[in-house]
Amino acid sequence: QVQVVESGGGLVQTGGSLRLSCAASGDTGCISAMGWYRQAPGKERELVVAITNDGSTNYADSVRGRFTLSRDRAKNTVYLQMNALKREDTAVYYCTPYIAPTCTEVRWDWGQGTQVTVSS
């Protein structure tokens, strides 16, 4: 099993910054990539950014240039630095581990997420 715990959300004004953290535990050797998703009220969950074990990142167009994902593999933690926040960034942010295909018995569940609210 892999568990993730998100933290760092909060209330911020437009243009402000927040830093989210996600700590993974359990069968972390089976994690091939980590990602952040978000879900706004009334909308589907969407990918914000993902990072592979070799450091390659994939950002959603809506956050590219404003958000930066970094990873501390020794701590099994990823950080999402969010700058120049907009009201449309308001959502619950969820951390996601991508499990390597070879780890067929490893499971994970969505965490509680962390609420980010951007006010004008």
Side-chain angles (χ1 to χ4, degrees):
Q1 288 291 95
V2 172
Q3 298 82 34
V4 293
V5 177
E6 306 98 337
S7 62
L11 174 63
V12 65
Q13 291 188 329
T14 300
S17 298
L18 281 174
R19 188 191 193 210
L20 306 183
S21 298
C22 170
S25 60
D27 294 312
T28 56
C30 285
I31 297 175
S32 61
M34 295 286 291
W36 283 95
Y37 283 73
R38 68 185 180 186
Q39 187 166 20
K43 295 188 177 181
E44 293 187 355
R45 196 169 296 185
E46 63 175 359
L47 176 67
V48 176
V49 59
I51 185 168
T52 63
N53 282 351
D54 64 4
S56 298
T57 53
N58 178 31
Y59 290 90
D61 290 342
S62 59
V63 306
R64 187 175 292 113
R66 300 187 298 121
F67 290 11
T68 302
L69 181 64
S70 59
R71 185 175 187 179
D72 186 335
R73 294 193 63 184
K75 296 181 178 179
N76 295 309
T77 300
V78 292
Y79 305 95
L80 182 62
Q81 179 66 42
M82 306 186 296
N83 298 328
L85 282 162
K86 306 175 181 180
R87 290 191 64 183
E88 50 264 44
D89 295 317
T90 295
V92 179
Y93 284 70
Y94 299 90
C95 178
T96 304
Y98 293 86
I99 305 301
T102 53
C103 295
T104 57
E105 299 299 316
V106 175
R107 300 290 181 264
W108 67 275
D109 292 312
W110 290 100
Q112 294 293 318
T114 185
Q115 176 70 49
V116 172
T117 303
V118 184
S119 65
S120 58

